[in-house]
Amino acid sequence: TVSAGGLTVAAAGGTASTTGSGVITIAGGTANDGTIAVGGSTLSAGNVSGTGTISTTNGIINATGTIATLSVTTGATVNGGASLVISNAIAGNPDMTLTGVVTMAGAMGTLSSAGALTLNGDITTTGDAAFAGITGGGHSLSVGGNAAFGGIATNLATLSVTGTSAINTTGITATGTQLYTGNVTLGAGATLTATTVTTQGTVAGGGNSLTITGNAVFGNGIGDTVTGVLNLSVSGATSV
């Protein structure tokens, strides 16, 4: 365990690193213009600032403030506390688990967000994703696996899900299109707002209502049924 009242990595080439699996606690501000290499350890840092990089192989990052670049090798658990902004897009498709209030973007493997997620760029995943709530910021979200929406999603540009979609929230809003390639299940009465909402599998309502604000395309095959929907409303054109 390493504890410090504050940490400054001033030079662009400067590095603070650990290869262990312990805990690094920085109680004061963390000014980073170089690289903080966490490895598989846990980093707890408040008021992060600077233009530098925090890197981890599969560690835990508990931080507030702004991380310019977060470099993740295989996966990371990130707790953003009251507010954490990751300025540059995540790369390399690592698996990410988020809690707290996090603003981020990038290319990930799997993504589990139990807190409030804000997009500052597009997000893509190659695997499954789960969300407690999304503020899209005018950016797009593309899930390459199954998706679970547990909270309201607002101001997305576009939304696409390759696998199944569990919509357990009252609203998903996009300024462009929403595409659900796999089967959709409703766990709550939901309003989907988009230019066009397209489902290419079955829709199982579970006794809940579905409102689509925009055009709707239901299915692209004979077996793509819509069942168990209490009330169905579409404001625009409908294709079945």
Side-chain angles (χ1 to χ4, degrees), residues 6 10 23 38 55 81 88 96 110 121 123 137 141 146 150 154 157 167 174 181 186 207 211 232:
V23 177
V38 178
S55 68
N88 296 320
M96 302 292 294
T110 61
I123 283 183
L141 173 62
N146 302 323
T154 63
I167 300 176
T181 303
L186 301 180
T211 299
L232 176 61

Side-chain angles (χ1 to χ4, degrees), residues 204-215:
N208 297 292
S209 294
L210 175 61
T211 299
I212 293 178
T213 303
N215 302 321

Side-chain angles (χ1 to χ4, degrees), residues 33 48 73-74 77 96 106 120 143 188 190 222 230 234:
D33 287 326
V48 178
T73 305
T74 58
T77 297
M96 302 292 294
N120 57 3
V143 177
I222 295 174
L230 180 63
V234 179

Side-chain angles (χ1 to χ4, degrees), residues 7-232:
L7 175 65
T8 300
V9 182
T15 302
S17 65
T18 177
T19 58
S21 57
V23 177
I24 306 166
T25 301
I26 304 168
T30 307
N32 176 31
D33 287 326
T35 299
I36 300 175
V38 178
S41 299
T42 297
L43 172 67
S44 294
N47 301 319
V48 178
S49 62
T51 59
T53 297
I54 294 178
S55 68
T56 179
T57 53
N58 59 347
I60 299 172
I61 309 296
N62 302 315
T64 58
T66 301
I67 298 173
T69 301
L70 179 62
S71 175
V72 182
T73 305
T74 58
T77 297
V78 177
N79 176 16
S83 178
L84 174 65
V85 176
I86 302 171
S87 299
N88 296 320
I90 301 291
N93 299 320
D95 295 333
M96 302 292 294
T97 300
L98 311 178
T99 60
V101 180
V102 179
T103 298
M104 66 182 299
M108 287 152 249
T110 61
L111 174 60
S112 176
S113 175
L117 174 64
T118 297
L119 278 59
N120 57 3
D122 295 344
I123 283 183
T124 62
T125 77
T126 58
D128 297 344
F131 306 97
I134 305 169
T135 301
H139 302 289
S140 293
L141 173 62
S142 177
V143 177
N146 302 323
F149 299 93
I152 293 173
T154 63
N155 197 26
L156 291 166
T158 62
L159 169 65
S160 65
V161 180
T162 299
T164 63
S165 295
I167 300 176
N168 302 317
T169 184
T170 57
I172 299 176
T173 300
T175 56
T177 60
Q178 295 184 35
L179 171 62
Y180 301 92
T181 303
N183 296 335
V184 175
T185 58
L186 301 180
T191 298
L192 307 181
T193 301
T195 53
T196 301
V197 174
T198 301
T199 63
Q200 293 184 341
T202 61
V203 177
N208 297 292
S209 294
L210 175 61
T211 299
I212 293 178
T213 303
N215 302 321
V217 178
F218 293 109
N220 61 352
I222 295 174
D224 297 336
T225 57
V226 177
T227 59
V229 175
L230 180 63
N231 293 299
L232 176 61

